[in-house]
Amino acid sequence: NSIINAILGAGNDSQQVLALHSALVHPDCVRVAKSAGFNSVTNKAMVYQWQQLRSMLSIALATAKEKGRIIDDQATFVNSILAAVAPDVDASAVPSVLARAELLGMPSRTAYRKLNQGELNREKLKVSKTR
């Protein structure tokens, strides 16, 4: 309780973020933070991989014109990535489309259409592998 009170009592949101971050990277707390899943090598690798994925999606979704369409090779690439990160139909606790769009760095309108197509592609792939 005292840890929570200390963080929440630090001031505004930015100050609370700084207080939590400072506690997690403090030399006396690093071991405990890593045991709890913070600052781990795995987390750093996942963040790096996700940033790479976001960057590649951004490049693949870029068009020469504001209302332009991406070429077929780029569309196939984007569809493959979105099928890979699409949730399974039976998955629980799936983040909202808006949350996933933000993580992927996609505009929400594009994300609704593309993420739904990714889910359909994932299901088609799973069905084709069970035959």
Side-chain angles (χ1 to χ4, degrees):
N1 238 359
S2 62
I3 295 171
I4 295 169
N5 291 336
I7 293 168
L8 296 178
N12 64 30
D13 286 351
S14 297
Q15 292 166 329
Q16 290 173 4
V17 168
L18 180 60
L20 177 59
H21 183 267
S22 296
L24 291 172
V25 298
H26 190 279
D28 294 339
C29 297
V30 168
R31 184 182 52 78
V32 174
K34 281 187 178 182
S35 295
F38 297 97
N39 302 327
S40 72
V41 173
T42 302
N43 284 349
K44 288 177 184 176
M46 285 190 303
V47 168
Y48 172 79
Q49 291 298 325
W50 199 260
Q51 288 169 340
Q52 291 293 101
L53 187 134
R54 263 182 83 133
S55 175
M56 290 305 299
L57 274 176
S58 176
I59 292 167
L61 288 169
T63 59
K65 299 178 185 173
E66 185 178 333
K67 299 274 186 180
R69 292 175 43 96
I70 59 177
I71 61 174
D72 288 345
D73 288 346
Q74 289 170 295
T76 300
F77 176 77
V78 169
N79 289 338
S80 296
I81 289 176
L82 296 180
V85 300
D88 284 327
V89 172
D90 57 348
S92 61
V94 174
S96 70
V97 172
L98 286 176
R100 290 184 284 150
E102 188 176 317
L103 277 173
L104 293 167
M106 297 173 71
S108 58
R109 285 184 58 193
T110 303
Y112 275 106
R113 186 170 35 84
K114 296 279 188 192
L115 289 170
N116 285 333
Q117 186 61 49
E119 289 178 32
L120 292 173
N121 290 342
R122 182 183 185 96
E123 283 309 305
K124 286 179 190 174
L125 180 63
K126 286 174 66 177
V127 166
S128 71
K129 292 295 181 182
T130 59
R131 292 182 183 170

